[in-house]
Amino acid sequence: MNTDPPDVAATVARIAAVVGPQGIITDPRDMEPYIVDWRGIYRGVAPAVVRPASTAEVAAVVGLCAETATPVVPQGGNTGMCGASVPHGAGQIVLSLARMNRVLDVDALNNTMAVQAGCVLADVQQAAAAADRLFPLSLGAEGSCQIGGNLSTNAGGVNVLRYGNTRDLVLGLEVVLPDGRVWNGMRSLRKDNTGYDLKQLYIGAEGTLGVITAAVLKLFSRPAATATAWAAVPHPDAALNLLALLRRHCGDRVTAFELISRNCLDLVLRHIPGTRDPLEAIHEWYVLADLADSHSGHALRNELEIALEAALEDALVADAVIAESEAQARALWRMRESIPEAARAEPGMLYRHDVSVAVSRIPAFIREARVALEDLFPGVDVICFGHLGDGNLHYNAFVSGRYRSDATAREAHDVTDLVYDIVQQYRGSFSAEHGIGLAKVDEIRRYKSPVEIELMRTLKQALDPRNIMNPGKVL
Ligand code: FAD
Ligand code: ZN
């Protein structure tokens, strides 16, 4: 039964006239994939899901929403982790960019490509590869997340160490403003100091300031050779020093450097079929590292081997394997990438924290947070893995089965407050990769200074005075 007020129905009818029957969904069954988030935690309701086919249609739809004060929730691939991409409150329209999925232009000599916001990340990577270039953004959801969603969450992934976050991979944007006007900032310039860098405002804004409809992305040389190593390290301090050593030996060729605790590996071996321990003995910690170079050949593998031998001599590494083929490299990465899935399969409560601190302080943070957690929650397991090279850890507390039945919201708060308070003492971030959305609005109020919150509110008020863009998210 439709419980929306009649003016919402009238607005939906006017929107339908703009986008045509192909561009609108109102049947509740067909709207289902758009109103529940990827983790299945947040479920909203919507009078319609709108799927415009062009920037002009997006502008017309948002213009109508502005006129009628109808809230708009922009949506990409709906793979976000914070509930930001689904409606939250009555009468909110979901605006999906899925039909705007064209690569507009590839300029190989300028190392840029222009794409519509609804392009799936894997398709963007492929279009770059077809022009013998690399678009380096890479993450587990790349088969379904969209570049507009990546931009709006400033997505990270596994290549940040070498190429930066999404923010660093953009030269231009096209944005439909909350009043329906279009800002065409589709510049492909590497140098442009003509006032405020407006595009950076919309990147990481989680759809609260406007709808990104297109972008100009940076491309890079495609690596001709890669080398992958799985190394056992005695403790996180050794991992940190191994990173420094690798960089001394191999410079910028280090593209990924991931830290993995033994219990992560145990979970993977237990729950993910076809996996096996890459090393003979059991070790407490591991590093998974990638090197890449635009020159092909044996040199890269040799370089990695020499660096690892030096690390063995310095007792930074206890044992290591270098992948002998692409298939072996993929198998090693599969161990790392299936940790979240394996953790989900284990009975018990998992409290997830996607945090960052200065890279140099990672070992101290891991130690201090573990001691504090074990003190308060005897029997807790810290499932720690992530992008050590970026100072970003997925620092998860696992409270095993026996606690499960009496696990309460209180416990969740106690665990996360404890971890985030320590992060705060380290001047770190309580959300390094995944954003704020609905999930972390309490935290943003707790951990950002009043001045910072006030600046953010001032921007939101100036750019979206009627608060129609993704209301209730972030601030
Ligand atoms: P959505 O989930 O649809 O939307 C995310 C936010 O962006 C929402 O606020 C939405 O309103 C807004 N938005 C979407 N499109 C637009 C637009 N065109 N204009 C304005 N606002 C818009 N994230 C990482 O950073 N690193 C990882 O390594 C990583 N790994 C993941 C692995 C898996 C298996 C999964 C499921 C997720 C992972 N994520 C990761 C999280 C997620 O994939 C990213 O946040 C991704 O960038 C979201 O893209 P999306 O298209 O799915 O956006
Ligand atoms: Zn991550």
Side-chain angles (χ1 to χ4, degrees):
M1 192 181 63
N2 188 353
T3 52
D4 295 318
D7 51 337
V8 175
T11 305
V12 169
R14 289 174 70 193
I15 289 173
V18 169
V19 294
Q22 273 188 313
I24 194 152
I25 304 172
T26 50
D27 183 324
R29 271 167 313 183
D30 297 336
M31 284 200 283
E32 182 71 11
Y34 299 87
I35 58 165
V36 185
D37 80 315
W38 187 84
R39 291 199 291 160
I41 294 176
Y42 299 97
R43 163 179 289 276
V45 286
V49 173
V50 184
R51 292 161 44 95
S54 65
T55 300
E57 284 188 10
V58 175
V61 169
V62 174
L64 273 172
C65 290
E67 184 195 318
T68 54
T70 306
V72 181
V73 182
Q75 190 177 94
N78 197 15
T79 68
M81 292 290 187
C82 296
S85 53
V86 293
H88 179 66
Q92 303 193 349
I93 281 173
V94 176
L95 194 152
S96 164
L97 280 292
R99 285 173 73 211
M100 292 176 56
N101 59 359
R102 271 187 310 123
V103 173
L104 301 170
D105 177 50
V106 180
D107 183 346
L109 291 178
N110 194 41
N111 270 329
T112 52
M113 72 196 292
V115 298
Q116 288 187 311
C119 281
V120 170
L121 175 55
D123 296 338
V124 174
Q125 295 165 344
Q126 268 174 27
D132 196 27
R133 294 292 184 273
L134 172 75
F135 181 63
L137 182 66
S138 173
L139 46 115
E142 64 199 22
S144 53
C145 65
Q146 298 173 7
I147 198 71
N150 302 145
L151 289 160
S152 301
T153 57
N154 184 28
V158 293
N159 288 327
V160 173
L161 184 62
R162 167 73 178 80
Y163 299 99
N165 291 291
T166 304
R167 191 182 289 293
D168 304 302
L169 304 174
V170 183
L171 294 177
L173 282 189
E174 180 186 74
V175 180
V176 171
L177 308 183
D179 59 8
R181 284 178 301 161
V182 179
W183 170 51
N184 184 339
M186 291 287 281
R187 302 183 187 108
S188 12
L189 307 175
R190 274 155 217 281
K191 294 188 125 179
D192 175 22
N193 287 340
T194 50
Y196 301 145
D197 190 354
L198 294 177
K199 66 178 179 297
Q200 293 297 349
L201 265 183
Y202 297 96
I203 300 173
E206 300 183 51
T208 60
L209 301 179
V211 183
I212 297 174
T213 44
V216 179
L217 306 172
K218 285 188 200 167
L219 300 178
F220 297 81
S221 303
R222 215 142 71 99
T226 55
T228 301
W230 176 278
V233 295
H235 38 69
D237 284 289
L240 183 63
N241 283 297
L242 174 62
L243 173 61
L245 182 148
L246 267 184
R247 278 182 155 158
R248 215 159 47 236
H249 280 253
C250 312
D252 253 6
R253 276 164 289 198
V254 185
T255 56
F257 194 91
E258 302 280 309
L259 180 72
I260 299 158
S261 62
R262 173 71 206 188
N263 52 8
C264 295
L265 181 59
D266 286 333
L267 284 173
V268 169
L269 296 174
R270 196 150 57 237
H271 295 291
I272 308 294
T275 52
R276 61 173 196 87
D277 193 333
L279 299 172
E280 305 238 309
I282 289 178
H283 302 269
E284 279 297 292
W285 293 91
Y286 301 92
V287 159
L288 178 60
D290 260 3
L291 298 189
D293 200 340
S294 47
H295 296 289
S296 62
H298 236 48
L300 199 62
R301 193 198 180 286
N302 286 349
E303 239 179 291
L304 183 56
E305 203 169 321
I306 290 166
L308 286 173
E309 272 164 15
L312 270 163
E313 268 172 35
D314 293 354
L316 299 180
V317 163
D319 195 5
V321 285
I322 298 177
E324 294 300 338
S325 64
E326 247 189 80
Q328 272 185 21
R330 266 201 307 277
L332 293 175
W333 271 100
R334 182 162 172 248
M335 311 285 282
R336 157 67 182 87
E337 277 162 0
S338 45
I339 296 169
E341 191 187 329
R344 242 197 321 257
E346 184 80 3
M349 287 303 292
L350 185 68
Y351 301 113
R352 293 185 176 80
H353 311 102
D354 159 40
V355 302
S356 64
V357 300
V359 176
S360 53
R361 304 193 75 191
I362 287 258
F365 169 78
I366 290 177
R367 257 192 319 271
E368 191 173 332
R370 176 189 297 247
V371 169
L373 275 171
E374 284 174 350
D375 236 27
L376 263 180
F377 304 95
V380 73
D381 241 348
V382 174
I383 314 267
C384 173
F385 63 97
H387 322 288
L388 172 64
D390 316 325
N392 174 198
L393 289 177
H394 299 300
Y395 194 88
N396 302 329
F398 187 80
V399 185
S400 64
R402 70 199 161 92
Y403 285 95
R404 184 167 199 165
S405 55
D406 57 345
T408 58
R410 186 70 248 146
E411 179 182 89
H413 267 108
D414 290 349
V415 172
T416 52
D417 284 359
L418 184 96
V419 172
Y420 292 152
D421 284 352
I422 297 171
V423 168
Q424 181 83 345
Q425 285 159 27
Y426 277 71
R427 298 186 62 79
S429 167
F430 61 88
S431 190
E433 266 196 329
H434 296 154
I436 305 294
L438 287 172
K440 292 188 182 168
V441 281
D442 287 345
E443 280 80 3
I444 199 171
R445 287 177 198 140
R446 181 174 162 132
Y447 295 109
K448 289 255 185 199
S449 71
V451 172
E452 211 166 342
I453 295 271
E454 194 48 43
L455 277 172
M456 288 173 76
R457 291 217 168 108
T458 304
L459 282 170
K460 170 76 174 165
Q461 171 67 26
L463 296 175
D464 179 19
R466 303 190 74 176
N467 193 26
I468 67 160
M469 292 305 309
N470 219 356
K473 316 290 170 54
V474 182
L475 279 171

